[in-house]
Each structure stands twice: as C-alpha cells, then as structure tokens.
Amino acid sequence: MTTVDINGITLGIESFGADDAPLVLLVGGTTMLSWPDALCERLAAGGRRAVRYDLRDSGASTTADPQAPAYTLRDLAADAAALAGALDGRPAHLAGIGVGGMVAQVAALDHPGAFSALTLAGTRAVAPGPPDDDLPDHDEAAMGRLFAQAMPDWADRAAVAEFAAAGAEILGDDPGAARATAARVWDRTPGSDPEVHMANQLGMVFSRLDCAPRWRERLPGIGVPALVVHGRRDLFFPVGNGEALAREIPGARLLVLEEAATAIPDAAAGEVAEAMLMLG
C-alpha cells in the first residue's frame, strides 16, 4: 500500500500485479476494501495491474469532514481520471462498485480519453436517494431491518465488526466476510474520531454529496467496452438497476451472479475477473 498525490489531495492505493501491466483502476464505495482480495489477485494473474483506492474522506486518503464534504461527485470522478494518468500514461480499465459505480459512470462520461473500458458492479444510474420510477428501489423489508439496528460504539473494533456482520446477513451477504472486512477497514481508519470511523464503515459521505447534474441520460454516450455485474439477490440495488445500465450503455454485457447479493463473493471472483479481462 502507498499514497498518490493528485488534485491537491492524497489518495491511499494498493496495487496487485506488475507495475508495467495494463491498469485496472478499482473505485471502491468508499474504501478500497469494497473490492475483494480474490478478485484483485485474479486480475493480476491475468496480466493486469489492479489498483484499488480509497475515496476522499476514507481509509488512507485525505480526510477533512465526512459529515460535510466540500467536493462533488464530479470531483471524485476527476480524481479517478487524474489517478489513472498518474499511475499509467495509457487509458485504464475503470471499475466501480456500489456508490463507486456512480463515480465510475461520471468519470467515463466526463473524461472519456482516460479510460479504455468500464466495469460497473452492484450500482445504478441515478444518485443516492429516491430512484427514477422505472428503477427498483431498495428492498423495503430489508431496509427496515437494516436501519432498525442500534448503532455500535464506533470506537469499539469488535462491536463495529459485529454490526457489519449483522447488516450483511440482512442483505444476504456473507457475515463472516463482512466481519473481517469491517475489522480491516477499522484498522485502516486514521485516528479515533467515532464520526470518521462511522463514515468509513457506512460511506456516509455519499448521503451528503452533491451529485448534480444527472448523468443517466448521458449513458448512451459511453463509447468504451462495458461490463455490468450484478447480484441476482441484491436487496440494496435490486438487479433491475443493473439491467437498466446494460440496456442504456451501448454494447454493454450484463453478467448476473445468480448466488450473489450486494458484495462480490470470493466464489465468483474468477468469473468476474474473466469477464473483466475480456474487455481489455
């Protein structure tokens, strides 16, 4: 792991594979650990340099005020383009997962010359909040259970890990994997401020981020090969959101993971990596 300075900020990054291999830039939602180790390792084994990174206000990246971000979704998209340029002079394969997929969509639209391919996993084509009428919203019953959970003591590593495991079980993800990832996120969160720990675990910054203007109507302008990956059992962004993305991005391939929910399970890492490698 290391850091890279771009756009007046510092971003924490981690690389898998040879430095001179074609770059696959992985936008997390919000920390780099949204992308599983197994997938990064498969991409590296396929001859790519997979680089995952922390967005602003998370992990090893610049943390200012996660409760009141002084930047926009388009700034985060500009960060992706600048980071790709700093790491490799060639256009990169850009991949975004969850809310990181929103960053990736805007980055591909605003900075087309920076990217050679696009992968969108478990995301949708509109900003956080109520979706368009034709897109399925979060599963109401699951959200009710999820938000009924009592908040943990964010300064207590074990309590935070158990909170994440309980949430994963509600969403249909692997509680053990979520527990381990939450503990790693906690360990990488700078300082002891409970609000910063909460922001790192929950991606709270996106609920306060300026995501204007809309970008869904611009999706037909994406001109690079695209892959849309979505879990059939995703209760947070139901699979209809991925289906809509694949319809609206010209030539996009839709890969539905029949046994997956919101996270990419290790068991699917090989299938997802193979599909990504086919894009270039």
Side-chain angles (χ1 to χ4, degrees), residues 199-212:
N200 273 259
Q201 295 288 338
L202 300 182
M204 294 294 293
V205 67
F206 272 87
S207 66
R208 298 172 172 83
L209 199 65
D210 178 1
C211 295

Side-chain angles (χ1 to χ4, degrees), residues 54-212:
D54 299 314
L55 297 178
R56 302 187 193 199
D57 282 319
S58 70
S61 296
T62 296
T63 295
D65 184 0
Q67 303 300 317
Y71 49 87
T72 69
L73 179 65
R74 301 189 92 164
D75 291 324
L76 296 181
D79 290 347
L83 182 57
L87 293 172
D88 189 352
R90 299 165 292 182
H93 181 157
L94 178 66
I97 189 167
V99 291
M102 300 174 187
V103 176
Q105 291 170 68
V106 175
L109 289 164
D110 283 4
H111 307 276
F115 305 110
S116 59
L118 178 66
T119 294
L120 303 171
T123 190
R124 69 182 189 188
V126 293
D132 293 347
D133 290 342
D134 65 322
L135 298 178
D137 203 352
H138 311 305
D139 181 86
E140 187 174 345
M143 294 305 102
R145 293 178 59 202
L146 196 64
F147 293 117
Q149 291 188 99
M151 291 290 107
D153 175 358
W154 295 104
D156 183 334
R157 181 179 186 270
V160 169
E162 289 306 314
F163 176 81
E169 187 170 14
I170 291 169
L171 292 174
D173 291 319
D174 180 353
R179 181 184 295 108
T181 298
R184 292 173 68 189
V185 170
W186 196 95
D187 290 341
R188 298 184 64 251
T189 300
S192 58
D193 186 337
E195 288 193 351
V196 174
H197 276 286
M198 181 174 69
N200 273 259
Q201 295 288 338
L202 300 182
M204 294 294 293
V205 67
F206 272 87
S207 66
R208 298 172 172 83
L209 199 65
D210 178 1
C211 295

Side-chain angles (χ1 to χ4, degrees), residues 249-265:
I249 297 173
R253 176 191 172 190
L254 175 64
L255 172 60
V256 176
L257 304 177
E258 296 295 338
E259 302 302 319
T262 62
I264 298 175

Side-chain angles (χ1 to χ4, degrees), residues 218-243:
R218 298 171 61 202
L219 291 177
I222 291 178
V224 297
L227 170 70
V228 177
V229 179
H230 219 102
R232 176 73 70 189
R233 302 179 179 182
D234 192 337
L235 299 177
F236 194 79
F237 291 139
V239 68
N241 290 282
E243 292 168 344

